[in-house]
Amino acid sequence: MNKINLMQRIIAELNEQACKEKAQHHLRFFKTAPGEYGEGDKFIGVNVPDQRKIAKKHYREITLNELEEFLRSEIHEYRSTALFMLCYKFEKADESERTSIVNLYLDNIAFVNNWDLVDASAPPLLGAYLVDRERDLLYHFAHSDDLWKQRIAIIATLYFIRRGEFHDTLKISKILLHHHHDLIHKAVGWMLREVGKRDKEAALAFLLKHYAEMPRTMLRYAIEKLDEDLRRQFLKGQLK
């Protein structure tokens, strides 16, 4: 199958699953109005399971150059499907191919520009790649002024958390502690909650030190799995 036919086929399969009503819902859900974080994004209304199904069908044959074209599309679901295909390719790739995949991801990071795109790609791509490498890039992203790079920095650590490594999650959480945006509040709170599922003492130690200065949303996300009495004490500021 040549390039044009392959890309046209993938687009046709995505378009077959498109739904105008879902697209309108996604425009609101992903905050695409002027001044909102997803301003100007375009949707055709394809569910994630359908995107994953199409991605899994074609990821072996599509090239990285072709994927880059999809990743730069103005259509959100095309970018999302491209990221799913990148993740599937990465999982099966050798070390050299993994480096090429991650380099493509980083070269096109500007197109990973909504929370669902970050959450689907940062742990299985960047987190997995950096697990045995220096992680300075995550700190560079955390200290940047780019909302999506900052979310990538903390969400990528989910891969480390699942391996029982919490150091980077806690350090980056501290960097982002006073962030202004609720998408970062939710992301940091989520990662702290994930730490707590595996090491309650580590999470509690961080929370006890910082909860009084944490944004309310971040705190609520972080303590969601704690017992009710302890949650109440955190929310009322009764812990020392």
Side-chain angles (χ1 to χ4, degrees), residues 99-122:
T99 297
S100 297
I101 290 168
V102 169
N103 284 340
L104 184 148
Y105 180 72
L106 294 174
D107 287 345
N108 292 277
I109 207 78
F111 300 96
V112 186
N113 57 352
N114 215 310
W115 59 264
D116 63 314
L117 305 179
V118 170
D119 296 359
S121 61

Side-chain angles (χ1 to χ4, degrees), residues 12-19 22 44-47 50 54:
E13 290 179 13
L14 287 167
N15 290 345
E16 284 174 7
Q17 302 300 322
C19 172
K22 290 176 185 175
I44 59 173
V46 183
N47 286 334
D50 291 323
I54 292 167

Side-chain angles (χ1 to χ4, degrees), residues 54-67:
I54 292 167
K56 191 165 287 188
K57 178 180 177 181
H58 294 293
Y59 79 91
R60 292 180 181 86
E61 57 188 329
I62 196 166
T63 68
L64 292 185
N65 286 338
E66 291 164 357
L67 276 176

Side-chain angles (χ1 to χ4, degrees), residues 68-183:
E68 187 169 39
E69 289 189 44
F70 273 113
L71 191 52
R72 295 185 173 203
S73 172
E74 64 178 2
I75 304 299
H76 187 102
E77 291 92 342
Y78 294 179
R79 301 199 306 280
S80 179
T81 302
L83 289 169
F84 290 140
M85 287 192 278
L86 274 180
C87 291
Y88 292 140
K89 274 188 175 294
F90 182 90
E91 187 178 357
K92 301 296 184 181
D94 61 28
E95 199 60 29
S96 175
E97 292 169 334
R98 286 187 167 197
T99 297
S100 297
I101 290 168
V102 169
N103 284 340
L104 184 148
Y105 180 72
L106 294 174
D107 287 345
N108 292 277
I109 207 78
F111 300 96
V112 186
N113 57 352
N114 215 310
W115 59 264
D116 63 314
L117 305 179
V118 170
D119 296 359
S121 61
L125 283 179
L126 201 52
Y129 185 72
L130 295 176
V131 70
D132 296 318
R133 292 177 168 83
E134 292 295 325
R135 301 170 186 178
D136 294 351
L137 177 66
L138 298 184
Y139 293 89
H140 174 71
F141 278 9
H143 283 293
S144 76
D145 295 323
D146 186 292
L147 174 66
W148 304 120
K149 287 183 178 179
Q150 291 169 324
R151 188 169 173 109
I152 287 169
I154 187 63
I155 296 296
T157 70
L158 180 59
Y159 191 88
F160 312 150
I161 294 171
R162 288 170 174 165
R163 292 168 54 94
E165 301 176 25
F166 313 128
H167 176 74
D168 293 293
T169 302
L170 298 177
K171 287 189 69 174
I172 293 172
S173 293
K174 187 174 180 180
I175 293 169
L176 298 174
L177 200 62
H178 300 109
H179 200 281
H180 67 281
H181 205 291
D182 71 334
L183 285 178

